[in-house]
Amino acid sequence: MKKIIILVLLIATNYLSAQVGIVEIENPVYGFLSRMKTMNLISRYDEFELPKTRKLVVAAIIELSKVRDRLNQIDRRILDELVNEFEYDINFSSENYTRLFPSINYYKPYSDREKFLYFMKDSSNFNLFANLLVQNNYIYSKDAGLDGRKVNLIQFGGRIRGTFLHNFGFMIQGTNGTYRGSKSLAQQFGSLRYNYKFNYDKLSNGGVDYFDETEGYLLADFNLLKLKIGRDKMNIGYGPVKTILGNNPPQFDYFLMNIDYGIFGFSYFHGKLLGSTDITYDNKEGSIRDIIDKYIVYHRFSFDFNRHFKLGLGEMVVYSNRSYDLSYINPFNYYKSVEHAGKDRDNSMLFLDVQNNSINGLNLYATLLMDDLDFGKFGTSYYGNQYMLEIGGRFIPFYMALPVQLDLNYVKVSPYTYSHRIFNNNFTNDGFALTDEILPNSESYYIGIKSRFHHRASVTINFKYTHHGANEVVNGNLVRNYGGDYLAGHRVKDPTDAVFLEGKQQVFRKYGFTLTSEPVNNYFVILNAFYEYSSLTDLTKYENTLLSLIFKMRI
């Protein structure tokens, strides 16, 4: 291992990455890099947007290799394993890789080597890596006063990624799955809530018994400029509660462009979402679905001045009921003015984010999103003043002696934020919020403690408290709109005043426990336990206990 580290240092100043691609969003490397950024052991790492390219991740690993002595014992072991994982990116070597084909007799399934179904390499000109993906998720849920429900989700598939012509990379991934047990429970978790085949196909029986998913991309990486067309997931936002694109985002198709030059960065993507669905029936053709075209546009200018101050300025637009709009295809337009010039028919949002890392072990951040503002009525309860404010921090007080991380987060969302008067312009995909756990007209507090007691195991304990002003709904009909629902924008008949947290009072308390371990390289075991106690409208209470045990393999 020391020889590998020395080799990394020798080539760090002028390395060429052997692989062009994206590090999948589920990779544990991102938690490690965020911790290293908090300790000021790496520079110019932007954790606001995920996932990252393999080149950026490798650059951070090489930078950490130079200061390896400043890492605690556990993080040194993690760094050593990352050097093994990205070995081919760093020095074109596959010494610590093993493959099932064609060298089946030499395959080491229980070793610490990086495992592949197959790989081939030709220096930096062309390479290809293939993996078999297997996952089993057992879930048990118990609501107060009801019998427990359980389901076993089985998912399997494969991933192929590679590089060609030095600067171009690709990936294609496909998985299939099925379930045993409660389908209604399965439909509440992960990406299954978005899955059409599982939920809606064959409406007469409520969907089929299997589900499938796919991701893929083509990436051109020229270091300063990156272009990507693909379908996968993104996280956008600081901290454990993502306020732009949440922790359970949908897979969607988009075109992306990134510019990275010193302290300056620019990000842009234009993506396709699903709007509302209308179903008609024809005697010859059967059921016919008419889905409204819906799109999301995002761009952000970032300035990483120094460890004391990092600034991001960005915009988002959700528009619908027409084809691609050239005004938003242009990455460098000022979208708020473009939206006004287009006769004010889209949902445009501005946001500002800041980050401070002046003290080693303390990372502070804030995000302000302005969905709509009337400066003439600023400071009043006017419904058009819609904004989201997030303030949080990550604290690692005794890095060398005690591997414990503390996360604190506060989010305030004013009434009607993320919704829109035109239904299909709300901040959702197929009716599900893109921010996942954030509700309009609410405020939430989050505290999480994470301990990494072993380089392949960690424990996280967290608590989230949310106070929400819900709309008044009777028999499925909206009686009084308090601005508490993504799917219910302000109507002409609704009051012009929207008082924060007014409405049907709801309080959610959620306790969480997660144990993550990797007993053998590329084999993961994850135990999740959640308890939720909620005070809902009309003095009703809701209790739910959930256990989840996940086994994942990548071979």
Side-chain angles (χ1 to χ4, degrees):
M1 179 53 61
K2 291 183 178 179
K3 293 181 179 179
I4 295 177
I5 296 294
I6 293 172
L7 182 58
V8 169
L9 294 175
L10 290 175
I11 65 174
T13 56
N14 58 356
Y15 78 98
L16 293 174
S17 178
Q19 297 184 72
V20 174
I22 303 295
V23 179
E24 65 276 9
I25 203 169
E26 297 87 3
N27 196 305
V29 69
Y30 293 118
F32 173 73
L33 294 181
S34 293
R35 188 163 64 253
M36 297 299 96
K37 176 64 177 176
T38 300
M39 296 305 304
N40 282 314
L41 296 173
I42 54 175
S43 59
R44 307 204 186 286
Y45 175 70
D46 184 5
E47 57 182 299
F48 190 79
E49 301 170 344
L50 298 179
K52 301 296 185 186
T53 65
R54 298 186 71 86
K55 286 186 178 181
L56 289 175
V57 170
V58 168
I61 292 172
I62 290 175
E63 186 176 1
L64 285 168
S65 299
K66 298 179 180 180
V67 293
R68 186 173 183 273
D69 292 341
R70 294 173 57 188
L71 276 63
N72 64 30
Q73 184 177 1
I74 291 175
D75 282 339
R76 289 178 196 169
R77 293 289 302 277
I78 295 175
L79 176 62
D80 293 345
E81 293 199 343
L82 288 174
V83 170
N84 283 343
E85 179 179 349
F86 293 92
E87 178 184 26
Y88 190 68
D89 300 79
I90 296 172
N91 57 21
F92 303 108
S93 171
S94 57
E95 179 182 348
N96 290 289
Y97 292 176
T98 183
R99 59 185 175 184
L100 185 60
F101 299 107
S103 308
I104 189 169
N105 293 331
Y106 299 97
Y107 185 67
K108 308 293 183 182
Y110 302 111
S111 72
D112 288 337
R113 296 187 174 208
E114 192 69 13
K115 301 172 183 65
F116 297 94
L117 192 66
Y118 172 79
F119 67 82
M120 62 176 296
K121 52 195 175 78
D122 177 20
S123 185
S124 63
N125 187 50
F126 178 80
N127 56 69
L128 185 144
F129 294 81
N131 283 105
L132 176 66
L133 308 175
V134 180
Q135 178 171 316
N136 187 88
N137 187 2
Y138 176 81
I139 304 170
Y140 174 82
S141 178
K142 179 70 169 66
D143 297 341
L146 300 175
D147 293 334
R149 295 179 295 165
K150 57 186 177 181
V151 65
N152 194 41
L153 299 172
I154 305 165
Q155 194 169 2
F156 56 91
R159 176 192 300 146
I160 298 175
R161 60 176 173 86
T163 301
F164 62 97
L165 300 178
H166 301 282
N167 297 107
F168 297 90
F170 65 91
M171 187 277 289
I172 183 167
Q173 174 178 309
T175 59
N176 282 277
T178 187
Y179 79 101
R180 297 289 183 272
S182 171
K183 186 168 187 174
S184 61
L185 179 60
Q187 289 168 331
Q188 299 177 22
F189 292 93
S191 58
L192 284 183
R193 63 180 183 171
Y194 304 112
N195 194 277
Y196 165 73
K197 296 294 289 186
F198 192 63
N199 291 285
Y200 306 115
D201 196 21
K202 298 184 179 180
L203 292 178
S204 60
N205 63 8
V208 296
D209 292 340
Y210 72 91
F211 52 93
D212 57 356
E213 295 178 337
T214 185
E215 296 184 7
Y217 61 78
L218 176 65
L219 172 70
D221 190 342
F222 302 102
N223 296 325
L224 298 181
L225 174 67
K226 303 171 186 66
L227 302 172
K228 174 186 175 185
I229 183 169
R231 174 184 178 83
D232 54 19
K233 300 176 182 179
M234 285 192 284
N235 282 162
I236 301 180
Y238 287 123
V241 180
K242 308 299 184 185
T243 52
I244 307 296
L245 285 182
N247 288 310
N248 188 22
Q251 298 164 328
F252 66 100
D253 300 280
Y254 60 89
F255 170 80
L256 176 144
M257 180 179 72
N258 280 340
I259 298 174
D260 188 4
Y261 185 77
I263 68 170
F264 171 75
F266 175 76
S267 303
Y268 162 86
F269 73 80
H270 189 296
K272 177 73 168 60
L273 302 175
L274 293 177
S276 59
T277 301
D278 183 35
I279 302 177
T280 59
Y281 186 83
D282 182 84
N283 289 330
K284 294 181 179 180
E285 299 177 357
S287 61
I288 301 173
R289 289 173 177 79
D290 183 18
I291 302 176
I292 297 296
D293 290 328
K294 181 174 181 177
Y295 306 93
I296 181 172
V297 187
Y298 167 97
H299 66 183
R300 173 176 176 258
F301 296 86
S302 62
F303 303 89
D304 192 351
F305 295 108
N306 49 48
R307 58 187 287 185
H308 308 294
F309 184 61
K310 182 172 184 176
L311 172 68
L313 300 167
E315 294 180 287
M316 289 188 299
V317 178
V318 177
Y319 69 97
S320 60
N321 292 293
R322 61 188 188 273
S323 61
Y324 289 102
D325 193 322
L326 288 177
S327 299
Y328 301 129
I329 295 293
N330 180 357
F332 301 106
N333 261 341
Y334 177 41
Y335 292 146
K336 191 69 175 178
S337 291
V338 166
E339 193 263 341
H340 289 163
K343 299 189 177 181
D344 199 16
R345 51 184 170 152
D346 305 324
N347 186 6
S348 61
M349 293 168 268
L350 303 171
F351 66 88
L352 178 149
D353 61 88
V354 295
Q355 188 181 53
N356 173 273
N357 220 152
S358 297
I359 302 173
N360 293 344
L362 178 62
N363 183 297
L364 302 175
Y365 57 85
T367 303
L368 174 63
L369 180 143
M370 294 163 283
D371 194 342
D372 199 6
L373 284 179
D374 186 330
F375 289 100
K377 298 180 181 180
F378 191 72
T380 70
S381 57
Y382 176 58
Y383 83 92
N385 291 327
Q386 304 162 15
Y387 67 92
M388 181 282 303
L389 174 64
E390 176 193 31
I391 301 173
R394 183 186 304 118
F395 185 38
I396 307 176
F398 311 108
Y399 176 69
M400 297 302 293
L402 187 64
V404 174
Q405 172 181 311
L406 174 66
D407 284 287
L408 299 173
N409 184 274
Y410 169 77
V411 178
K412 176 181 179 181
V413 189
S414 69
Y416 295 104
T417 304
Y418 298 115
S419 68
H420 196 261
R421 63 181 181 85
I422 300 174
F423 178 80
N424 280 295
N425 287 348
N426 56 39
F427 202 59
T428 67
N429 176 68
D430 199 21
F432 293 97
L434 296 173
T435 54
D436 200 23
E437 296 183 346
I438 302 173
L439 297 169
N441 196 22
S442 71
E443 63 178 352
S444 67
Y445 302 83
Y446 173 94
I447 179 171
I449 301 174
K450 183 174 184 178
S451 174
R452 181 166 287 279
F453 55 89
H454 188 271
H455 68 285
R456 287 190 175 176
S458 66
V459 170
T460 301
I461 301 173
N462 58 62
F463 170 70
K464 185 177 181 182
Y465 174 92
T466 301
H467 184 192
H468 177 224
N471 295 340
E472 185 176 351
V473 179
V474 178
N475 296 325
N477 297 315
L478 179 59
V479 176
R480 175 68 187 270
N481 196 349
Y482 294 101
D485 191 342
Y486 286 88
L487 303 179
H490 188 269
R491 304 166 299 179
V492 174
K493 65 179 181 180
D494 290 330
T496 57
D497 287 341
V499 179
F500 180 57
L501 292 182
E502 186 180 22
K504 307 290 283 187
Q505 298 300 294
Q506 296 182 337
V507 175
F508 304 92
R509 300 172 182 89
K510 188 173 183 179
Y511 304 83
F513 171 88
T514 300
L515 171 64
T516 302
S517 65
E518 189 181 3
V520 178
N521 192 35
N522 292 14
Y523 294 68
F524 296 89
V525 180
I526 304 170
L527 173 64
N528 292 307
F530 297 100
Y531 171 73
E532 184 175 349
Y533 177 78
S534 305
S535 303
L536 303 179
T537 57
D538 302 322
L539 302 178
T540 59
K541 307 291 183 181
Y542 172 76
E543 289 185 66
N544 174 257
T545 302
L546 184 139
L547 298 173
S548 171
L549 182 61
I550 303 173
F551 298 93
K552 297 171 60 176
M553 292 190 300
R554 187 177 73 245
I555 58 176

PDB file of all heavy atoms in Angstrom, residues 389-403:
ATOM      1  N   LEU A 389     -35.722  28.979   3.430  1.00  0.00           N
ATOM      2  CA  LEU A 389     -34.466  29.323   4.080  1.00  0.00           C
ATOM      3  C   LEU A 389     -33.933  28.093   4.791  1.00  0.00           C
ATOM      4  O   LEU A 389     -34.641  27.459   5.576  1.00  0.00           O
ATOM      5  CB  LEU A 389     -34.672  30.450   5.094  1.00  0.00           C
ATOM      6  CG  LEU A 389     -33.448  30.816   5.948  1.00  0.00           C
ATOM      7  CD1 LEU A 389     -32.324  31.369   5.075  1.00  0.00           C
ATOM      8  CD2 LEU A 389     -33.824  31.815   7.040  1.00  0.00           C
ATOM      9  N   GLU A 390     -32.682  27.776   4.515  1.00  0.00           N
ATOM     10  CA  GLU A 390     -32.016  26.654   5.161  1.00  0.00           C
ATOM     11  C   GLU A 390     -30.722  27.134   5.806  1.00  0.00           C
ATOM     12  O   GLU A 390     -29.933  27.848   5.179  1.00  0.00           O
ATOM     13  CB  GLU A 390     -31.703  25.550   4.151  1.00  0.00           C
ATOM     14  CG  GLU A 390     -30.925  24.384   4.741  1.00  0.00           C
ATOM     15  CD  GLU A 390     -30.350  23.453   3.685  1.00  0.00           C
ATOM     16  OE1 GLU A 390     -30.023  23.944   2.587  1.00  0.00           O
ATOM     17  OE2 GLU A 390     -30.221  22.258   3.967  1.00  0.00           O
ATOM     18  N   ILE A 391     -30.504  26.737   7.048  1.00  0.00           N
ATOM     19  CA  ILE A 391     -29.273  27.049   7.766  1.00  0.00           C
ATOM     20  C   ILE A 391     -28.797  25.761   8.433  1.00  0.00           C
ATOM     21  O   ILE A 391     -29.596  25.038   9.049  1.00  0.00           O
ATOM     22  CB  ILE A 391     -29.486  28.142   8.822  1.00  0.00           C
ATOM     23  CG1 ILE A 391     -30.000  29.433   8.181  1.00  0.00           C
ATOM     24  CG2 ILE A 391     -28.198  28.422   9.590  1.00  0.00           C
ATOM     25  CD1 ILE A 391     -30.395  30.501   9.182  1.00  0.00           C
ATOM     26  N   GLY A 392     -27.518  25.461   8.314  1.00  0.00           N
ATOM     27  CA  GLY A 392     -27.032  24.230   8.917  1.00  0.00           C
ATOM     28  C   GLY A 392     -25.531  24.205   9.083  1.00  0.00           C
ATOM     29  O   GLY A 392     -24.813  25.136   8.696  1.00  0.00           O
ATOM     30  N   GLY A 393     -25.065  23.121   9.671  1.00  0.00           N
ATOM     31  CA  GLY A 393     -23.627  22.976   9.877  1.00  0.00           C
ATOM     32  C   GLY A 393     -23.248  21.539  10.171  1.00  0.00           C
ATOM     33  O   GLY A 393     -24.065  20.729  10.609  1.00  0.00           O
ATOM     34  N   ARG A 394     -21.985  21.253   9.886  1.00  0.00           N
ATOM     35  CA  ARG A 394     -21.385  19.951  10.201  1.00  0.00           C
ATOM     36  C   ARG A 394     -20.220  20.201  11.141  1.00  0.00           C
ATOM     37  O   ARG A 394     -19.374  21.047  10.885  1.00  0.00           O
ATOM     38  CB  ARG A 394     -20.923  19.274   8.919  1.00  0.00           C
ATOM     39  CG  ARG A 394     -20.338  17.872   9.132  1.00  0.00           C
ATOM     40  CD  ARG A 394     -19.760  17.308   7.838  1.00  0.00           C
ATOM     41  NE  ARG A 394     -20.743  17.278   6.779  1.00  0.00           N
ATOM     42  CZ  ARG A 394     -20.628  17.962   5.655  1.00  0.00           C
ATOM     43  NH1 ARG A 394     -19.579  18.742   5.440  1.00  0.00           N
ATOM     44  NH2 ARG A 394     -21.561  17.882   4.741  1.00  0.00           N
ATOM     45  N   PHE A 395     -20.164  19.444  12.234  1.00  0.00           N
ATOM     46  CA  PHE A 395     -19.177  19.691  13.286  1.00  0.00           C
ATOM     47  C   PHE A 395     -18.460  18.382  13.609  1.00  0.00           C
ATOM     48  O   PHE A 395     -19.090  17.375  13.941  1.00  0.00           O
ATOM     49  CB  PHE A 395     -19.884  20.250  14.523  1.00  0.00           C
ATOM     50  CG  PHE A 395     -18.963  20.657  15.632  1.00  0.00           C
ATOM     51  CD1 PHE A 395     -17.740  21.272  15.372  1.00  0.00           C
ATOM     52  CD2 PHE A 395     -19.322  20.442  16.959  1.00  0.00           C
ATOM     53  CE1 PHE A 395     -16.887  21.650  16.400  1.00  0.00           C
ATOM     54  CE2 PHE A 395     -18.492  20.819  17.997  1.00  0.00           C
ATOM     55  CZ  PHE A 395     -17.273  21.420  17.713  1.00  0.00           C
ATOM     56  N   ILE A 396     -17.128  18.385  13.488  1.00  0.00           N
ATOM     57  CA  ILE A 396     -16.301  17.231  13.843  1.00  0.00           C
ATOM     58  C   ILE A 396     -15.305  17.721  14.895  1.00  0.00           C
ATOM     59  O   ILE A 396     -14.209  18.193  14.575  1.00  0.00           O
ATOM     60  CB  ILE A 396     -15.573  16.665  12.611  1.00  0.00           C
ATOM     61  CG1 ILE A 396     -16.578  16.369  11.495  1.00  0.00           C
ATOM     62  CG2 ILE A 396     -14.798  15.401  12.972  1.00  0.00           C
ATOM     63  CD1 ILE A 396     -15.955  15.895  10.202  1.00  0.00           C
ATOM     64  N   PRO A 397     -15.661  17.652  16.181  1.00  0.00           N
ATOM     65  CA  PRO A 397     -14.880  18.341  17.218  1.00  0.00           C
ATOM     66  C   PRO A 397     -13.568  17.669  17.607  1.00  0.00           C
ATOM     67  O   PRO A 397     -12.599  18.349  17.934  1.00  0.00           O
ATOM     68  CB  PRO A 397     -15.846  18.377  18.405  1.00  0.00           C
ATOM     69  CG  PRO A 397     -16.752  17.200  18.194  1.00  0.00           C
ATOM     70  CD  PRO A 397     -16.881  17.026  16.706  1.00  0.00           C
ATOM     71  N   PHE A 398     -13.521  16.342  17.592  1.00  0.00           N
ATOM     72  CA  PHE A 398     -12.329  15.638  18.084  1.00  0.00           C
ATOM     73  C   PHE A 398     -11.868  14.650  17.019  1.00  0.00           C
ATOM     74  O   PHE A 398     -11.906  13.434  17.229  1.00  0.00           O
ATOM     75  CB  PHE A 398     -12.637  14.920  19.402  1.00  0.00           C
ATOM     76  CG  PHE A 398     -13.317  15.795  20.417  1.00  0.00           C
ATOM     77  CD1 PHE A 398     -14.654  15.607  20.721  1.00  0.00           C
ATOM     78  CD2 PHE A 398     -12.611  16.805  21.047  1.00  0.00           C
ATOM     79  CE1 PHE A 398     -15.282  16.411  21.650  1.00  0.00           C
ATOM     80  CE2 PHE A 398     -13.236  17.615  21.988  1.00  0.00           C
ATOM     81  CZ  PHE A 398     -14.579  17.426  22.289  1.00  0.00           C
ATOM     82  N   TYR A 399     -11.459  15.188  15.879  1.00  0.00           N
ATOM     83  CA  TYR A 399     -11.229  14.350  14.697  1.00  0.00           C
ATOM     84  C   TYR A 399     -10.202  13.256  14.935  1.00  0.00           C
ATOM     85  O   TYR A 399     -10.443  12.090  14.594  1.00  0.00           O
ATOM     86  CB  TYR A 399     -10.798  15.231  13.525  1.00  0.00           C
ATOM     87  CG  TYR A 399     -10.442  14.432  12.287  1.00  0.00           C
ATOM     88  CD1 TYR A 399     -11.425  13.767  11.572  1.00  0.00           C
ATOM     89  CD2 TYR A 399      -9.121  14.339  11.857  1.00  0.00           C
ATOM     90  CE1 TYR A 399     -11.111  13.020  10.453  1.00  0.00           C
ATOM     91  CE2 TYR A 399      -8.788  13.592  10.731  1.00  0.00           C
ATOM     92  CZ  TYR A 399      -9.795  12.935  10.037  1.00  0.00           C
ATOM     93  OH  TYR A 399      -9.480  12.189   8.939  1.00  0.00           O
ATOM     94  N   MET A 400      -9.071  13.565  15.505  1.00  0.00           N
ATOM     95  CA  MET A 400      -8.007  12.577  15.674  1.00  0.00           C
ATOM     96  C   MET A 400      -8.309  11.582  16.791  1.00  0.00           C
ATOM     97  O   MET A 400      -7.907  10.421  16.718  1.00  0.00           O
ATOM     98  CB  MET A 400      -6.671  13.274  15.956  1.00  0.00           C
ATOM     99  CG  MET A 400      -6.177  14.155  14.818  1.00  0.00           C
ATOM    100  SD  MET A 400      -5.953  13.278  13.250  1.00  0.00           S
ATOM    101  CE  MET A 400      -4.584  12.184  13.639  1.00  0.00           C
ATOM    102  N   ALA A 401      -9.051  12.005  17.815  1.00  0.00           N
ATOM    103  CA  ALA A 401      -9.279  11.146  18.977  1.00  0.00           C
ATOM    104  C   ALA A 401     -10.608  10.407  18.933  1.00  0.00           C
ATOM    105  O   ALA A 401     -10.703   9.259  19.385  1.00  0.00           O
ATOM    106  CB  ALA A 401      -9.204  11.986  20.253  1.00  0.00           C
ATOM    107  N   LEU A 402     -11.642  11.058  18.382  1.00  0.00           N
ATOM    108  CA  LEU A 402     -12.989  10.485  18.434  1.00  0.00           C
ATOM    109  C   LEU A 402     -13.672  10.697  17.082  1.00  0.00           C
ATOM    110  O   LEU A 402     -14.015  11.827  16.734  1.00  0.00           O
ATOM    111  CB  LEU A 402     -13.804  11.154  19.551  1.00  0.00           C
ATOM    112  CG  LEU A 402     -15.177  10.571  19.867  1.00  0.00           C
ATOM    113  CD1 LEU A 402     -15.017   9.150  20.388  1.00  0.00           C
ATOM    114  CD2 LEU A 402     -15.895  11.443  20.888  1.00  0.00           C
ATOM    115  N   PRO A 403     -13.907   9.634  16.311  1.00  0.00           N
ATOM    116  CA  PRO A 403     -14.486   9.782  14.961  1.00  0.00           C
ATOM    117  C   PRO A 403     -15.992   9.983  15.001  1.00  0.00           C
ATOM    118  O   PRO A 403     -16.777   9.106  14.617  1.00  0.00           O
ATOM    119  CB  PRO A 403     -14.110   8.459  14.293  1.00  0.00           C
ATOM    120  CG  PRO A 403     -14.052   7.474  15.411  1.00  0.00           C
ATOM    121  CD  PRO A 403     -13.553   8.233  16.606  1.00  0.00           C
TER     122      PRO A 403
END
